[in-house]
Amino acid sequence: MAKLFVVGTGPGAEDWVTPKALASIEASTDLVAYGLYLDLLGDVCNGKQHHDLPLGEEIGRARLALDLAASGKTTALISSGDIGIYAMATLVFELLDQQLQGKENHPEWLDVEIEVVPGISAMQAGAAKVGAMLGHDFCTISLSDLLTPWETIEKRLHSCGQGDFVVSFYNPRSKKRDWQINTARDILLQYRPASTPVLLGRQLTREDETITYTTLGELHSDDVDMFTLVSVGNSESRHIVNGEREWIYTPRGYKKKL
């Protein structure tokens, strides 16, 4: 049977790739991805047919992966992080949905066996680097308005603030979008203190990784780029320091029992 693995390979470092993801890639003959993701994987990609499509060609990557699998090639569609979080998995199923609605002309896609293999997301990697930031209810919000209207994003920011969720921001800034993260900060400041701890995790788990501890009041777009994960604590999140070591954690409510 035609087989497509939809694989998340984690935040970047080889030892953060799950055994299941490695096994799926090893079982494949063809790999479809943005080239950087294949470079980060190293030797596990050797001997495979690489199909490298640039950023901005996400729909093309999903189509190609389905086409390759439907032709009988065991294929892995690869993305960093968790491929089901702001990534390629949703496009695969959206294309299948379009086919079922008669809006595509690829009935062969429906015969492809699809297995989604999750990966460690950037927000998980960042939270682990600083301690236990996701210890209580949390959400993620993408600040990119390329596919989602800003009005919708703004409603979600207010809902996050009202619900007092820890929040991880994806796509916080790009060359053409430099104001959204400051606007998000200002909205959250309506609901939680300026002293709320914030993590800036750049190039998480990679060789040039940097971890910066700051606060919501001090958060600024000048300190953020497209490779940065921004995680903002809730009103109870704590930044604690022990000599040269420091952590952020979000209490779950055990204090009354301690």
Side-chain angles (χ1 to χ4, degrees):
M1 176 180 287
K3 180 76 180 228
L4 173 61
F5 293 103
V6 182
V7 185
T9 57
E14 289 183 40
D15 55 357
W16 286 61
V17 184
T18 68
K20 177 63 177 177
L22 290 173
S24 300
I25 294 168
E26 289 171 351
S28 300
T29 60
D30 289 70
L31 310 179
V32 181
Y34 171 51
L36 173 63
Y37 303 152
L38 299 179
D39 294 340
L40 290 169
L41 285 167
D43 293 345
V44 70
C45 297
N46 292 346
K48 313 291 183 182
Q49 183 67 45
H50 293 192
H51 304 270
D52 174 5
L53 276 72
L55 290 176
E57 295 293 332
E58 287 76 21
I59 296 174
R61 264 182 260 148
R63 287 181 177 278
L64 176 59
L66 284 166
D67 286 340
L68 288 167
S71 73
K73 297 179 179 179
T74 301
T75 303
L77 175 62
I78 296 169
S79 184
S80 63
D82 184 326
I83 199 163
I85 299 177
Y86 302 120
M88 296 295 301
T90 185
L91 264 175
V92 170
F93 293 104
E94 190 167 356
L95 287 171
L96 292 176
D97 189 11
Q98 294 275 26
Q99 175 60 39
L100 288 168
Q101 295 179 56
K103 297 178 181 179
E104 293 280 348
N105 187 29
H106 295 278
E108 67 276 8
W109 287 352
L110 300 179
D111 294 325
V112 174
E113 179 186 352
I114 297 172
E115 183 175 352
V116 179
V117 181
I120 297 170
S121 68
M123 67 176 175
Q124 289 173 294
K129 291 285 183 176
V130 299
M133 197 163 185
L134 304 180
H136 211 322
D137 297 336
F138 63 89
C139 67
T140 64
I141 298 177
S142 171
L143 295 182
S144 172
D145 57 357
L146 292 176
L147 301 176
T148 304
W150 179 254
E151 292 77 12
T152 300
I153 297 171
E154 193 166 333
K155 289 178 183 178
R156 292 171 180 170
L157 288 166
H158 281 286
S159 296
C160 168
Q162 290 168 356
D164 199 24
F165 291 100
V166 176
V167 57
S168 293
F169 290 124
Y170 284 69
N171 307 308
R173 179 175 177 169
S174 70
K175 292 180 180 179
K176 297 181 179 179
R177 294 183 298 100
D178 61 358
W179 57 270
Q180 283 92 335
I181 187 64
N182 289 344
T183 301
R185 173 203 63 205
D186 293 343
I187 290 173
L188 290 183
L189 281 170
Q190 298 175 36
Y191 303 98
R192 61 193 68 173
S195 59
T196 300
V198 173
L199 157 69
L200 304 180
R202 188 178 188 278
Q203 296 282 39
L204 287 163
T205 79
R206 303 177 188 180
E207 289 185 0
D208 52 347
E209 172 189 274
T210 58
I211 300 291
T212 303
Y213 296 83
T214 186
T215 64
L216 184 58
E218 295 173 342
L219 175 62
H220 195 277
S221 62
D222 289 347
D223 301 318
V224 176
D225 64 15
M226 63 187 297
F227 302 106
T228 306
L229 171 81
V230 180
S231 290
V232 181
N234 69 12
S235 62
E236 296 186 353
S237 296
R238 297 267 295 151
H239 177 202
I240 57 176
V241 180
N242 178 26
E244 295 183 354
R245 304 186 68 187
E246 52 187 319
W247 303 278
I248 298 174
Y249 78 98
T250 301
R252 192 179 173 198
Y254 289 111
K255 186 175 182 179
K256 296 177 182 179
K257 298 184 178 181
L258 294 176

